[in-house]
C-alpha cells in the first residue's frame, strides 16, 4: 500500500509541474504576429521601391571620340544596340559612314582636333564620354603620336569634365606605364594618370592587348606579331583576338 500511495503522489505531481508550461504558451502567442507585421510592411516597401527603380528608364547621352578606329567602330555598334543610351554623339574629324545599325539617336559633329577648345559645344550635355583615339609613331612620327595620344585625349577629358560629364571611359593599352623608357607605353601611362587625377565620378580605363584584325592601313609591327601570335591563340585565350571584346 505505501507503494500505491507513492504512485498516486507522482501522478498528481506531474500535472502541477506542467501547469507553468501551459500558462507560458498563451503569453508567447501575441508576440508572433506583432513581430511579423513590420517585417511584412518592410518587405512590401522594399518591393515597391525596387519596382520603381527598375521601371525608371536610363536616359544616358554619350559621346565617342575615335569612332573611326577598329575599337571605336565596335564601341559605336555596342552603343547603338544599347537601349539605355538615348543619344550618341560621334565627334569626328570628317564624316564617317557606318553600317545600317546606326539610327536617329546618332549624330556626327565635325571638329578640328587642333582647335578642340573652339568646339566645346560638341562635348556639352553628355553623361558619358568614350575616348578610343590613338595612332602610331610610325604613322604620325614622335611629335604627331604625342599630340594625338596625349594632347588630344587629355584635352577631350578636360572639356568633358568641365562641362559636367560624370563618367569617362578611356581605351589605353596593355603595358601602359609612365615610367617606361619606351615612348608608346610611357605616353599611355601619363595619360592614364592625368585623366585619373581629374576625379570623374566614374572613370574606366581599358588596356587591350594586340588587336588581331584587318585594317585599311598596314602596320608592319602588328603584321609581324600577328603572324607569331596566331598559333598561340589556339592555346591561350587571354590574347585579344577581336575588337568586340571591349566592355559595354
Amino acid at each position: 500500500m505505501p507503494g500505491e500511495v507513492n504512485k498516486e503522489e507522482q501522478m498528481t505531481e506531474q500535472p502541477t509541474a506542467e501547469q507553468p508550461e501551459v500558462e507560458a504558451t498563451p503569453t508567447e502567442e501575441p508576440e508572433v504576429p506583432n513581430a511579423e507585421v513590420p517585417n511584412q510592411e518592410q518587405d512590401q516597401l522594399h518591393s515597391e521601391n525596387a519596382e520603381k527603380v527598375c521601371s525608371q528608364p536610363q536616359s544616358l547621352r554619350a559621346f565617342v571620340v575615335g569612332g573611326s578606329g577598329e575599337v571605336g567602330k565596335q564601341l559605336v555598334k555596342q552603343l547603338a544596340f544599347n537601349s539605355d543610351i538615348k543619344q550618341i554623339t560621334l565627334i569626328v574629324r570628317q564624316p564617317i559612314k557606318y553600317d545600317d545599325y546606326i539610327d536617329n539617336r546618332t549624330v556626327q559633329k565635325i571638329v578640328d582636333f587642333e582647335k578642340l577648345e573652339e568646339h566645346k559645344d560638341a562635348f556639352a550635355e553628355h553623361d558619358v564620354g568614350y575616348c578610343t583615339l590613338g595612332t602610331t609613331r610610325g604613322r604620325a612620327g614622335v611629335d604627331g603620336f604625342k599630340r594625338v595620344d596625349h594632347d588630344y585625349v587629355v584635352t577631350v577629358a578636360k572639356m568633358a569634365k568641365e562641362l559636367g560629364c560624370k563618367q569617362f571611359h578611356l581605351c589605353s593599352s596593355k603595358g601602359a606605364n609612365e615610367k617606361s623608357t619606351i615612348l608608346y607605353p610611357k605616353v599611355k601611362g601619363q595619360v592614364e594618370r592625368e585623366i585619373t587625377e581629374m576625379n570623374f565620378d566614374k572613370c574606366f580605363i581599358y588596356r587591350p592587348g594586340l588587336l588581331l584584325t584587318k585594317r585599311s592601313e598596314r602596320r608592319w609591327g602588328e603584321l609581324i606579331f600577328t603572324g607569331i601570335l596566331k598559333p598561340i591563340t589556339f592555346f591561350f585565350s587571354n590574347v585579344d583576338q577581336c575588337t568586340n571584346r571591349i566592355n559595354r
Side-chain angles (χ1 to χ4, degrees), residues 63-67 89-96 107-124 126 133 152 155-156 159 163:
F63 73 79
V64 179
V65 180
T89 303
L90 306 180
I91 300 174
V92 295
R93 189 189 304 273
Q94 56 188 5
I96 302 173
V107 296
Q108 296 192 38
K109 293 194 176 182
I110 312 301
V111 303
D112 182 355
F113 280 87
E114 296 295 334
K115 301 176 181 178
L116 279 173
E117 296 288 348
E118 298 179 6
H119 301 279
K120 284 189 175 182
D121 59 318
F123 297 89
H126 289 92
L133 275 177
Y152 291 177
T155 301
V156 165
M159 288 196 298
L163 295 170

Side-chain angles (χ1 to χ4, degrees), residues 15-47:
T16 56
E18 293 177 356
Q19 285 177 0
E21 296 179 2
V22 175
E23 292 176 357
T25 52
T27 59
E28 295 177 357
E29 289 178 359
E31 296 179 1
V32 176
N34 290 337
E36 290 178 354
V37 170
N39 288 337
Q40 292 175 351
E41 293 177 353
Q42 289 176 4
D43 291 342
Q44 183 178 0
L45 181 61
H46 291 324
S47 178

Side-chain angles (χ1 to χ4, degrees), residues 213-230:
T213 183
K214 294 181 180 180
R215 295 183 183 272
S216 57
E217 59 174 317
R218 287 194 174 185
R219 296 184 179 181
W220 293 107
E222 287 189 0
L223 289 174
I224 294 172
F225 279 106
T226 297
I228 296 173
L229 289 176
K230 274 187 176 180

Side-chain angles (χ1 to χ4, degrees), residues 135-170:
T135 186
T136 63
R137 177 178 176 176
R139 181 181 182 184
V142 174
D143 293 338
F145 169 72
K146 290 180 179 179
R147 187 167 63 254
V148 173
D149 281 56
H150 178 275
D151 299 349
Y152 291 177
V153 175
V154 172
T155 301
V156 165
K158 282 182 178 178
M159 288 196 298
K161 175 67 175 179
E162 292 173 0
L163 295 170
C165 183
K166 303 296 184 183
Q167 186 179 136
F168 194 80
H169 297 251
L170 171 67

Side-chain angles (χ1 to χ4, degrees), residues 73-82 101 244 246 248:
K73 290 177 182 177
Q74 292 297 327
L75 171 61
V76 172
K77 185 175 182 179
Q78 294 292 343
L79 293 176
F81 291 149
N82 190 334
Y101 56 77
N244 62 5
I246 187 170
R248 295 184 181 183

Side-chain angles (χ1 to χ4, degrees), residues 185-231:
K186 181 176 182 177
V187 171
K188 293 294 186 180
Q190 290 172 343
V191 171
E192 288 185 5
R193 175 182 54 78
E194 292 180 45
I195 291 181
T196 301
E197 290 175 352
M198 294 181 192
N199 294 320
F200 284 91
D201 288 2
K202 292 183 179 180
C203 181
F204 300 86
I205 296 176
Y206 308 95
R207 290 180 170 182
L210 179 64
L211 303 174
L212 306 184
T213 183
K214 294 181 180 180
R215 295 183 183 272
S216 57
E217 59 174 317
R218 287 194 174 185
R219 296 184 179 181
W220 293 107
E222 287 189 0
L223 289 174
I224 294 172
F225 279 106
T226 297
I228 296 173
L229 289 176
K230 274 187 176 180

